[in-house]
Amino acid sequence: MTQEILIHEAGGVLELCFNRPDKKNAITGAMYGALTAALKDASTRSTVRAVLVTGEGNIFTAGNDIKDFLAMSGGGLDGAPPGRFIRALATFSKPLVAAVNGPAIGIGTTLLLHCDLVYASPAASLSVPFVDLGLVPEAGSSALLPLRVGFARAAALLLLGEPMEAEAARAAGLVNAVVPAGDLLEHARAQARKLAAKPPAALAATRVLMRSEPGALLAQMDREAAAFSEALRGAEAREAFTAFLERRAPDFSAAAE
Ligand code: COA
């Protein structure tokens, strides 16, 4: 079991913590595997009544590990560890709470769209720079973001790749509250424990009612996965990943030919 996802259970709340601070908590296949297994296990155990996600250090997560992306560029998203995690998250039946302790990039932000309560430190920012990486949105974010924040703000996030700072995310309705960094985790824990103490069947049924019929979202995720897999195999993504790893600006001038 990887130590790069810390798993801790207390008071009916299962805590999952990204713990790869030297790589800005970028998520590897092994980490996705641990997250997916933890969610599957949590859904079968009645003692787990809520799940809390957070990150170690000064970042929530820098998103998918870009070296892994480069290695996956011969394959696709569906059936791969990120795809399995996204599905487990989107279909998870218990309340999900997030404590966003810093930048949440890529899947770091898209996973929040599946959470019920999101708390952020003032240093948190949400960004989905898929286009800049030669990629397309995942985890249903191409549908959920326009729905949640309106088309204009979703376009700034998804097309321009502009980060949304904590306070703006709160104002846009993506974050419940901005909490001082020192209090963030305890606050999120306290909120998760409140959910853990509620009648679970009523809570689960309410979560279902608050979401639109899941088939449409899962179908959109399939469309995204197909486009994502194609993009992952393309020249734009390869150039973006290589440029990041070589610490240089990407050059897309030849990519559209
Ligand atoms: N995948 C793999 N490695 C990553 C990573 C990622 N997503 N994000 C950061 N790292 C690694 C860096 O390569 C670096 O490794 P090294 O020390 O071995 O060179 C280390 O983490 C520290 O990152 P660095 O870029 O030096 O830190 P920074 O403080 O200057 O910048 C970020 C932090 C998060 C802004 C920057 O690392 C970044 O933009 N990461 C990529 C984000 C991204 O595009 N994610 C994919 C979304 S789909």
Side-chain angles (χ1 to χ4, degrees), residues 113-153:
L113 303 172
H114 298 276
C115 290
D116 301 283
L117 297 171
V118 178
Y119 300 97
S121 75
S125 63
L126 311 190
S127 61
V128 275
F130 298 111
V131 167
D132 291 336
L133 289 166
L135 296 172
V136 300
E138 37 72 325
S141 58
S142 57
L144 292 173
L145 266 178
L147 194 69
R148 299 273 296 274
V149 302
F151 192 89
R153 279 186 289 214

Side-chain angles (χ1 to χ4, degrees), residues 22-24 26 59 62 64-66 105-106 130 133 244 247:
D22 58 321
K23 297 288 184 187
K24 303 289 172 186
I59 187 162
N64 203 101
D65 186 283
I66 288 179
I105 306 176
F130 298 111
L133 289 166
F244 174 76
R247 294 185 175 269

Side-chain angles (χ1 to χ4, degrees), residues 153-247:
R153 279 186 289 214
L157 282 159
L158 285 172
L159 301 182
L160 287 174
E162 284 179 357
M164 187 181 268
E165 302 306 322
E167 187 48 40
R170 189 203 58 74
L174 292 175
V175 160
N176 287 79
V178 180
V179 180
D183 303 330
L184 175 68
L185 190 53
E186 266 320 305
H187 182 75
R189 273 183 185 140
Q191 299 301 87
R193 281 195 203 115
K194 281 187 201 164
L195 292 176
K198 304 266 180 210
L203 194 57
T206 302
R207 285 186 84 246
V208 169
L209 290 167
M210 285 175 71
R211 288 161 167 79
S212 57
E213 196 273 311
L217 179 62
L218 293 174
Q220 180 72 3
M221 285 167 58
D222 285 343
R223 287 178 64 209
E224 289 176 344
F228 198 101
S229 301
E230 194 179 329
L232 207 50
R233 289 191 284 271
E236 294 178 357
R238 180 166 293 275
E239 167 58 11
F241 302 156
T242 310
F244 174 76
L245 296 171
E246 292 175 356
R247 294 185 175 269

